[in-house]
């Protein structure tokens, strides 16, 4: 097990190195330049030249790459030109926001998706089953940001129950955020109003982001439970006279959870794609919105640093998912 | 000569286990009995008819402005007898723009799906047909592409290619290549071990002929199902890219994703402008998804009677 983990972690090095080269070349292949994006209408050849020298963009590519790599190894990704702050500082502010949003969304998707899929399978062929299947189809086909607007319109503009955009009210600006996870911060500092404010701001974005994973998890759970219910060992268990509860817990759920856990593990990519749209639609200051904004402003440092860290997190999450399979299914225990 | 006879026998054997008619004819028979398939087909038919005959259906030009209806700055007239869905912020007829928008969405959906499918088929065919190091190299490449979050990947390509509808279509197409490649390769590996392929091999039929003449055509049905489903996701992805500011260069050309993105600032004052294109995207995507899912079930041998 330990050898497996070490080998996978060592594999991270060539993957990240390859990605750093690809990213470095990609940002420089984007049409236009940071200097032009920064100056906009006021761009003159001399001014562009000045900024390029200041940013080190006048150097040959291999020199630029070497400088980037040397700094990145010390976890220094330079300065973001959109915010004029160090990229690492921006990461510290934005990763907690996106992780908080993503984890909440995944919790919603799992806690609702699995029971919905399970009961749909148990009531196979009834209107309840039909309803869950149709709802999950709509959930998959509705554009994330359209859903975001509809929810904002109904729950923020019309009903006024929930905040429209952002992560906190303006009056909460002086609240301290030691970790950047607003919900966690409020709990740690025992600040009740800040906690309810953070949670209320999380509801609509998290529900929006949860929709697609929820629909997928519900569908997979339904299909998996239907498959297991038809298995011989379930019939045997019934014939043995086991109670319905025991059969469900020991046989049906445990076996049906294998494909479901694989699916949950695969949701991180979708969550990241969804976070870009959700954060932009709710003006939620997270990683997705910052990276999406970095492209039009040709913020090289942000794009290189953020995407590299996202990719590293991805590989680590996949590793955790692989390890967790062994815990759920003894048959795939890794050696 | 004898080889030809044997081969035609194999061709018949490929379909022998299907009760009555070919795979597709039988799937079609199952398909028309499914309500979901019928609903999906109706949505898709409406979408395609509207897109093709847009100039005949739309009452106004999508770019013509009717300023007589606008009473002062910021006024956005709602639905009326002359303008069924009202006007947008520039005084253009929303109904006509919705009709013409179907064209763009259909083109984006079809072209990007075709791009992804053709690219995927080429890679999948090489990997599944040649095997060995070619297969290993292609599959590592495909795995790498699948490891990048789809939307981020599409944004990256679209941004690099510059602001145009063509770059959006290429971006969405490229992101879909690995999905098709993997699907076709997996299916071909399974088909290569099928009895008819082994029989052809034992008769001494050339490998290229087995792969191209038998294994490949028999591996295509899941790819076609995926293609139908990709039409839906491509339309949604194009809308997402438009929302993030990556769409065609000309804002006058109506496109649902862009209409939705451009009107977000009127969410409080004229929510209908956001609602119409959003619903249009949902319904067209739902049509392709229902059709694709039903097709998948109809082609699944498990459901064969």
């Amino acid at each position: 097990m330990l050898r497996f983990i070490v080998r996978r972690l060592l594999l991270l090095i060539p993957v990240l190195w390859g990605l750093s080269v690809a990213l470095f070349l990609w940002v420089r292949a984007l049409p236009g330049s940071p200097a032009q994006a920064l100056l906009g209408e006021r761009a003159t050849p001399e001014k562009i030249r000045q900024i390029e020298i200041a940013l080190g963009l006048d150097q040959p590519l291999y020199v630029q790459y070497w400088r980037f790599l040397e700094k990145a190894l010390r976890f220094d990704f330079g300065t973001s030109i959109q915010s004029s702050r160090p990229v690492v500082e921006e990461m510290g502010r934005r990763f907690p926001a996106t992780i908080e949003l993503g984890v909440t969304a995944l919790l919603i998707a799992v806690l609702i998706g699995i029971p919905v899929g399970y009961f749909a399978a148990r009531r196979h062929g009834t209107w309840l089953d039909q309803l869950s299947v149709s709802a999950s189809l709509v959930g998959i086909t509705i554009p994330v940001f359209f859903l975001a607007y509809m929810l904002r319109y109904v729950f923020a503009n019309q009903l006024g129950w929930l905040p429209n955009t952002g992560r906190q009210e303006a009056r909460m600006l002086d609240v301290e955020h030691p970790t950047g996870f607003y919900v966690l911060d409020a709990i740690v500092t025992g600040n009740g109003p800040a906690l309810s404010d953070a949670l209320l701001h999380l509801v609509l974005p998290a529900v929006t982001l949860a929709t697609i994973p929820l629909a997928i998890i519900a569908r997979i759970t339904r299909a998996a439970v239907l498959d297991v219910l038809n298995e011989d060992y379930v019939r045997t268990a019934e014939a043995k006279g086991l109670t319905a509860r025991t059969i469900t817990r020991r046989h049906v759920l445990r076996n049906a959870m294998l494909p479901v856990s694989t699916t949950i593990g695969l949701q991180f990519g979708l969550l990241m794609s969804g976070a870009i749209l959700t954060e932009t639609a709710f003006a939620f200051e997270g990683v997705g919105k910052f990276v999406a904004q970095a492209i039009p402003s040709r913020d090289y440092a942000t794009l290189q640093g953020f995407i590299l860290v996202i990719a590293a997190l991805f590989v680590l999450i996949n590793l955790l998912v692989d390890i967790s399979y062994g815990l759920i299914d003894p048959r795939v225990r890794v050696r | 000569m004898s080889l030809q006879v044997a081969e035609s026998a194999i061709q018949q054997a490929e379909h022998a286990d299907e009760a009555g008619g070919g795979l597709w004819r039988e799937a079609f028979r199952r398909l028309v009995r499914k309500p979901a398939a019928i609903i999906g087909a109706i949505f898709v038919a409406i979408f395609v008819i509207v897109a093709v005959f847009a100039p005949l259906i739309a009452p106004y030009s999508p770019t013509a402005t009717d300023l007589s209806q606008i009473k002062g700055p910021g006024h956005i007239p709602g639905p009326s007898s002359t303008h069924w869905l009202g006007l947008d912020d520039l005084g253009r007829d929303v109904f006509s723009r919705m009709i013409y928008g179907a064209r763009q969405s259909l083109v984006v959906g079809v072209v990007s799906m075709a791009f992804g499918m053709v690219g995927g088929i080429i890679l999948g065919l090489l990997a599944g047909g040649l095997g060995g190091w070619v297969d290993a190299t292609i599959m590592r490449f495909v795995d790498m592409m699948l490891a990048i979050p789809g939307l981020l990947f599409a944004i990256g390509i679209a941004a690099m290619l510059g602001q145009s509808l063509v770059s959006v279509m290429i971006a969405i197409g490229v992101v879909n290549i690995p999905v098709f490649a993997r699907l076709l390769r997996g299916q071909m590996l399974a088909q290569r071990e099928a009895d008819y392929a082994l029989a052809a091999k034992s008769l001494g039929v050339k490998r290229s002929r087995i792969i191209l003449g038998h294994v490949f055509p028999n591996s295509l049905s899941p790819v076609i199902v995926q293609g139908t489903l990709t039409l839906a996701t491509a339309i949604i992805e194009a809308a997402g890219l438009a929302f993030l500011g990556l769409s065609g260069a000309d804002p006058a050309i109506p496109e649902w994703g862009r209409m939705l993105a451009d009107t977000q600032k009127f969410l409080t004052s004229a929510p209908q402008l956001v609602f119409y294109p959003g619903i249009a995207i949902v319904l067209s995507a739902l049509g392709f998804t229902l059709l694709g899912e039903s097709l998948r079930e109809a082609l699944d041998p498990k459901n064969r009677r």
Side-chain angles (χ1 to χ4, degrees), chain B:
Chain B
M1 184 64 197
S2 63
L3 198 63
Q4 269 173 1
V5 174
E7 251 206 273
S8 70
I10 290 167
Q11 248 152 22
Q12 280 167 4
E14 283 170 28
H15 303 291
D17 57 335
E18 294 146 17
L23 174 70
W24 285 94
R25 203 188 304 163
E26 211 206 322
F28 182 74
R29 273 212 299 273
R30 272 200 291 267
L31 206 57
V32 291
R33 285 204 298 265
K34 282 177 185 295
I38 304 294
I39 297 170
I42 292 173
F43 282 179
V44 169
I46 294 174
F47 176 47
V48 173
I49 290 170
V50 165
V52 172
F53 298 105
L56 299 176
I57 301 169
Y60 303 94
S61 149
T63 48
T65 52
D66 184 355
L67 295 174
S68 67
Q69 303 282 322
I70 297 179
K71 305 177 184 76
H75 176 238
I76 298 171
S80 64
S81 57
T82 44
H83 299 284
W84 294 350
L85 299 182
L87 299 173
D88 68 4
D89 54 313
L90 298 174
R92 297 175 296 199
D93 182 55
V94 175
F95 181 64
S96 304
R97 287 184 70 75
M98 289 294 301
I99 299 289
Y100 275 93
R103 290 198 143 178
Q104 299 296 323
S105 290
L106 185 65
V107 169
V108 170
V110 171
V111 174
S112 34
M113 183 274 284
F115 194 97
M117 197 189 222
V118 170
I121 284 178
I122 294 172
L123 289 185
L125 188 57
L126 286 173
L130 296 174
W133 67 268
V134 179
D135 182 27
T137 313
I138 291 177
M139 289 328 283
R140 286 301 77 73
F141 182 64
V142 161
D143 283 344
M144 236 169 64
M145 285 171 83
L146 283 172
I148 309 170
L151 185 68
L152 200 57
F153 195 13
I155 294 171
I157 299 168
M160 196 168 75
L161 297 175
Q163 195 88 334
S164 81
L165 211 54
V166 175
S167 50
V168 168
M169 293 188 284
I170 294 175
I172 298 171
V174 170
V175 172
N176 279 301
I177 286 177
V179 181
F180 285 107
R182 215 174 204 198
L183 199 62
L184 180 64
R185 172 196 177 256
Q187 194 66 19
M188 284 181 70
L189 289 187
Q191 291 286 330
R192 265 166 65 168
E193 302 305 317
D195 288 345
Y196 70 85
L198 295 178
K201 197 175 169 187
S202 66
L203 277 170
V205 180
K206 266 197 299 193
R207 197 170 82 146
S208 60
R209 182 135 189 197
I210 299 175
I211 299 283
L212 292 175
H214 300 281
V215 172
F216 175 59
N218 277 306
S219 306
L220 275 178
S221 39
V223 174
I224 291 164
V225 169
Q226 184 60 36
T228 318
L229 296 172
T230 303
L231 281 171
T233 54
I235 293 172
I236 298 170
E237 278 160 8
L241 289 179
F243 170 70
L244 294 171
L246 294 157
S247 62
D250 186 359
I253 298 172
E255 194 237 316
W256 292 342
R258 181 146 195 176
M259 286 166 75
L260 186 47
D262 287 350
T263 51
Q264 52 172 302
K265 45 188 180 291
F266 308 113
L267 188 60
T268 22
S269 56
Q272 77 274 11
L273 292 185
V274 181
F275 191 69
Y276 299 138
I279 287 297
I281 293 170
V282 173
L283 290 182
S284 53
L286 199 60
F288 286 118
T289 308
L290 283 173
L291 205 57
E293 296 280 348
S294 311
L295 194 60
R296 189 211 301 274
E297 280 174 34
L299 284 167
D300 191 341
K302 270 197 286 184
N303 299 328
R304 206 171 270 167
R305 257 165 270 157

Side-chain angles (χ1 to χ4, degrees), chain A residues 219-252:
Chain A
R219 288 185 56 166
I220 302 285
T221 307
R222 177 180 172 272
V225 171
L226 277 180
D227 270 355
V228 174
L229 284 178
N230 287 327
E231 290 283 351
D232 290 340
Y233 56 76
V234 172
R235 207 173 333 127
T236 309
E238 278 167 0
K240 277 199 308 193
L242 291 184
T243 61
R245 218 189 132 108
T246 313
I247 297 175
T248 304
R249 276 226 312 264
R250 293 251 299 271
H251 297 283
V252 177

Side-chain angles (χ1 to χ4, degrees), chain A residues 265-298:
Chain A
L266 289 172
Q267 297 310 306
F268 290 100
L270 264 180
L271 280 175
M272 194 60 234
S273 295
I276 297 174
L277 296 168
T278 307
E279 289 176 4
T280 307
F282 284 103
F284 195 93
E285 294 299 333
V287 173
K289 181 166 179 277
F290 199 60
V291 170
Q293 281 173 344
I295 292 176
S297 47
R298 302 288 178 259

Side-chain angles (χ1 to χ4, degrees), chain A residues 85-328:
Chain A
R85 285 203 198 100
V87 171
V88 175
E89 199 185 307
E90 290 290 353
M91 285 178 182
R93 277 155 40 94
R94 289 163 198 280
F95 270 99
T98 299
I99 294 170
E100 199 168 74
L101 175 65
V103 168
T104 314
L106 198 62
L107 274 178
I108 295 174
V110 169
L111 292 181
I112 300 179
I114 292 180
V116 164
Y118 176 74
F119 286 111
R122 268 282 144 103
R123 312 254 185 297
H124 183 49
T126 63
W127 65 271
L128 213 74
D129 182 26
Q130 298 288 337
L131 184 73
S132 86
V133 172
S134 327
S136 64
L137 268 181
V138 174
I140 291 170
T141 47
I142 191 162
V144 172
F145 57 100
F146 176 55
L147 180 66
Y149 287 156
M150 291 295 109
L151 290 176
R152 271 176 58 187
Y153 180 71
V154 174
F155 293 100
N157 293 344
Q158 295 298 307
L159 298 171
W161 292 353
L162 292 163
N164 208 331
T165 54
R167 283 185 79 193
Q168 61 179 5
E169 291 302 322
R171 66 189 153 79
M172 296 285 169
L173 273 181
D174 50 347
V175 172
E176 269 186 78
H177 294 296
T179 64
F181 294 94
Y182 284 12
V183 174
L184 201 67
D185 288 341
I187 294 172
V188 169
T189 56
N191 191 337
L195 178 63
S196 72
D197 183 57
L199 286 174
L200 286 176
H201 276 87
L202 211 50
V203 175
L204 290 184
V207 167
T208 304
L209 187 57
T211 314
I212 294 179
L214 196 164
I216 295 174
I217 290 172
R219 288 185 56 166
I220 302 285
T221 307
R222 177 180 172 272
V225 171
L226 277 180
D227 270 355
V228 174
L229 284 178
N230 287 327
E231 290 283 351
D232 290 340
Y233 56 76
V234 172
R235 207 173 333 127
T236 309
E238 278 167 0
K240 277 199 308 193
L242 291 184
T243 61
R245 218 189 132 108
T246 313
I247 297 175
T248 304
R249 276 226 312 264
R250 293 251 299 271
H251 297 283
V252 177
L253 278 181
R254 198 169 167 130
N255 281 295
M257 279 310 107
L258 288 176
V260 176
S261 63
T262 313
T263 313
I264 295 173
L266 289 172
Q267 297 310 306
F268 290 100
L270 264 180
L271 280 175
M272 194 60 234
S273 295
I276 297 174
L277 296 168
T278 307
E279 289 176 4
T280 307
F282 284 103
F284 195 93
E285 294 299 333
V287 173
K289 181 166 179 277
F290 199 60
V291 170
Q293 281 173 344
I295 292 176
S297 47
R298 302 288 178 259
D299 190 349
Y300 288 2
T302 296
L303 288 172
Q304 288 170 167
F306 269 73
I307 298 179
L308 212 54
V309 172
I310 292 172
L313 283 176
F314 244 69
V315 180
L316 288 177
I317 287 169
N318 282 337
L319 176 62
L320 285 178
V321 170
D322 283 355
I323 294 171
S324 74
Y325 288 161
L327 300 178
I328 299 170

